[in-house]
Amino acid sequence: MKLVYIQTFGCQMNTADSEEMMLALAARGCFICEDLNKADIVLINTCTIREHAEHKALSLLGRLRKWKEEKAGRIIIFAGCAAQRLGAGVRGKFPHVDIVCGAKSIDDFDKILDKSGLFGSDKSAGKSAALNSPIALVNIMRGCSCKCSYCIVPYVRGEAFSLDFDAVLKEIEGKLSLGAKEIVLLGQTVNAYNYKGKTFADLLRAALKLEGLDRLRYLSPHPLFITEEVSEIMASEPKMSKHLHLPVQSGSDKILKDMKRGYGRGEFLEKIALLRRGGINVTTDIIVGYPTETEEDFKQTLSLVDECKFGGAYCFKFSPRFGTPAFSLKELPKEEVEKRLDILLNKIKENAKAAYKAQEGRAERVLMEDPHNGRTLSNFWVKTEASYKAGEVVTLTIKKAQESILLA
């Protein structure tokens, strides 16, 4: 038996990839371990969307040299987007790495383990049916074809392609049979799913019919592919999450064009109106300080935030990534970008606070993720003094909103 310590950087798509890689390791007699010092294997699944995330992964990799030297037979696996971008250069700089698996090769991870010669031939000894959470992640797409000017994803994950319709449903059924209550469908432009004529709406309808499902969500959608059909499913189906994280990135038409997002401010607002008619809580991503962003462009983003009243947002400073069209652009002064980010974060905080405040007095179905904390169908966090089992769905009355948590 070997113990695996997993460190995942980045989004839930990376978390799902880590789970897939762990299945291949589990089939070889490996089990997850939370203590690095007790582990025999370290799996680092990396992100390269922002420079900071890549640096953190490489810093950890450097520190693991000493960890590996302390005990013979220890194994280090470096995987994901940064591994794809850096390629063979990883082993040149970090010779203590045993296996490098880029994001485009994760589907072949099982074969990569075989080829490494570091694992035995028995592929059934340690496979576990246990789920660590009532929430299960299921990839339905790989890659991205949008090629936004700032984004490295299409270059490290490749062009978008949809996974087999029936295979996706089978994986969902498998997760539900193991006790999952909520399924999260994942893809870089998840709502662009289309497998041999089977659309994203078709997949949602089929998944919603599966026995044992309590809640269905999806990440990460693109505004271009928001349709009335999918919006209607979200509004009418009681098992569909009433929350959508829909990245806008900017409120300026000029910046959206420079970013090559494929839509304008007006089109995005139309999508928001469509979703809001169905009672959907919308959160978003916003990039501050894109190299061509003027003060007026930034004001347009602030006004969009006011108009949309997002329930929350992840706000990031522009991060130049080598290999993208935006990399060659002259960056804005750091002080100005920091100032804009601070202004935006304060506005987002106030809007999110109002969104949570509006939940007071409501009776909500809450999926408990641990004995005292869970989420509503609209993805608001709830804390209760009563104790429940993880995975239990309970109806709670919201007594008070406290910043970004609801008290029941």
Side-chain angles (χ1 to χ4, degrees):
M1 180 182 76
K2 290 186 177 181
L3 300 179
V4 184
Y5 178 87
I6 301 176
Q7 180 66 63
T8 302
F9 295 89
C11 62
Q12 283 188 293
M13 279 170 276
N14 277 20
T15 301
D17 287 343
S18 293
E19 290 179 357
E20 285 189 32
M21 288 187 282
M22 185 58 216
L23 285 175
L25 290 165
R28 291 163 171 81
C30 301
F31 293 85
I32 291 177
C33 170
E34 301 295 332
D35 188 340
L36 173 63
N37 292 321
K38 293 180 180 178
D40 304 292
I41 301 168
V42 171
L43 169 60
I44 305 174
N45 191 11
T46 62
C47 175
T48 193
I49 290 179
R50 291 170 189 85
E51 190 175 26
H52 181 63
E54 184 174 306
H55 282 173
K56 284 177 68 176
L58 291 173
S59 177
L60 172 60
L61 186 57
R63 296 195 302 273
L64 286 173
R65 183 192 302 270
K66 183 178 179 182
W67 170 85
K68 186 174 182 180
E69 291 172 349
E70 289 173 349
K71 183 179 177 182
R74 281 179 163 173
I75 297 170
I76 298 174
I77 303 171
F78 192 71
C81 292
Q84 185 70 45
R85 192 182 80 81
L86 298 170
V90 174
R91 280 208 180 93
K93 189 173 181 180
F94 303 97
H96 54 291
V97 174
D98 298 285
I99 296 173
V100 177
C101 176
K104 294 180 182 178
S105 300
I106 286 175
D107 287 338
D108 296 320
F109 187 65
D110 191 76
K111 296 176 183 176
I112 290 171
L113 293 182
D114 283 342
K115 189 176 179 180
S116 73
L118 297 171
F119 299 88
S121 58
D122 184 0
K123 295 185 182 180
S124 61
K127 196 159 186 177
S128 172
L131 282 179
N132 296 321
S133 167
I135 302 167
L137 309 176
V138 176
N139 277 312
I140 68 168
M141 291 181 70
R142 298 284 192 193
C144 181
S145 298
C146 286
K147 292 185 172 62
C148 299
S149 64
Y150 55 85
C151 186
I152 193 70
V153 169
Y155 307 99
V156 294
R157 285 189 175 266
E159 294 287 327
F161 66 93
S162 300
L163 302 181
D164 182 278
F165 188 87
D166 292 330
V168 169
L169 291 177
K170 186 175 180 180
E171 183 177 353
I172 295 172
E173 286 181 312
K175 297 289 178 70
L176 293 173
S177 71
L178 297 177
K181 296 297 182 182
E182 178 177 298
I183 297 294
V184 185
L185 305 177
L186 301 174
Q188 202 66 40
T189 52
V190 65
N191 52 337
Y193 178 90
N194 192 309
Y195 181 80
K196 295 183 179 180
K198 295 283 189 178
T199 67
F200 185 60
D202 293 330
L203 182 60
L204 291 181
R205 291 193 186 96
L208 287 165
K209 294 177 182 177
L210 297 178
E211 186 176 349
L213 178 71
D214 186 82
R215 189 173 297 178
L216 184 64
R217 283 196 292 144
Y218 61 92
L219 288 170
S220 176
H222 193 290
L224 280 176
F225 308 110
I226 295 293
T227 65
E228 288 194 23
E229 185 178 17
V230 170
S231 297
E232 172 59 27
I233 293 172
M234 292 187 69
S236 62
E237 290 286 349
K239 293 182 180 181
M240 275 299 309
S241 171
K242 307 308 178 191
H243 163 256
L244 194 62
H245 189 80
L246 188 65
V248 63
Q249 309 302 7
S250 175
S252 161
D253 278 329
K254 178 172 75 69
I255 299 302
L256 290 170
K257 184 177 180 180
D258 290 349
M259 289 179 167
K260 302 188 187 307
R261 289 292 289 170
Y263 56 85
R265 176 192 178 101
E267 293 167 275
F268 184 83
L269 289 172
E270 288 175 2
K271 306 289 187 179
I272 292 294
L274 182 63
L275 293 165
R276 287 280 162 73
R277 286 201 295 270
I280 307 301
N281 170 36
V282 181
T283 55
T284 195
D285 288 342
I286 299 173
I287 295 174
V288 174
Y290 188 81
T292 59
E293 181 185 81
T294 64
E295 184 65 29
E296 179 56 33
D297 293 322
F298 178 62
K299 287 179 180 178
Q300 288 294 309
T301 294
L302 295 179
S303 69
L304 181 81
V305 169
D306 282 334
E307 192 166 349
C308 291
K309 298 192 183 305
F310 297 111
Y314 293 114
C315 304
F316 307 97
K317 293 179 288 186
F318 169 74
S319 178
R321 308 307 294 132
F322 180 78
T324 65
F327 180 76
S328 61
L329 299 175
K330 183 180 179 180
E331 293 183 63
L332 297 178
K334 290 183 179 180
E335 300 79 11
E336 180 61 28
V337 176
E338 290 283 358
K339 176 185 173 184
R340 292 179 188 178
L341 180 63
D342 187 57
I343 292 170
L344 178 61
L345 287 173
N346 285 327
K347 186 175 284 289
I348 291 294
K349 184 178 180 181
E350 288 305 308
N351 284 346
K353 186 177 179 180
Y356 270 83
K357 184 72 175 176
Q359 306 307 306
E360 289 183 347
R362 300 179 63 168
E364 294 284 349
R365 292 180 74 249
V366 178
L367 174 62
M368 302 304 296
E369 297 192 19
D370 64 46
H372 299 288
N373 297 279
R375 282 178 299 106
T376 70
L377 199 61
S378 297
N379 209 47
F380 292 101
W381 278 101
V382 179
K383 184 179 182 66
T384 177
E385 292 183 0
S387 184
Y388 300 95
K389 293 180 180 179
E392 192 172 353
V393 180
V394 296
T395 299
L396 300 174
T397 299
I398 307 305
K399 298 175 182 177
K400 184 180 178 181
Q402 194 173 74
E403 294 295 331
S404 58
I405 194 78
L406 301 175
L407 304 179

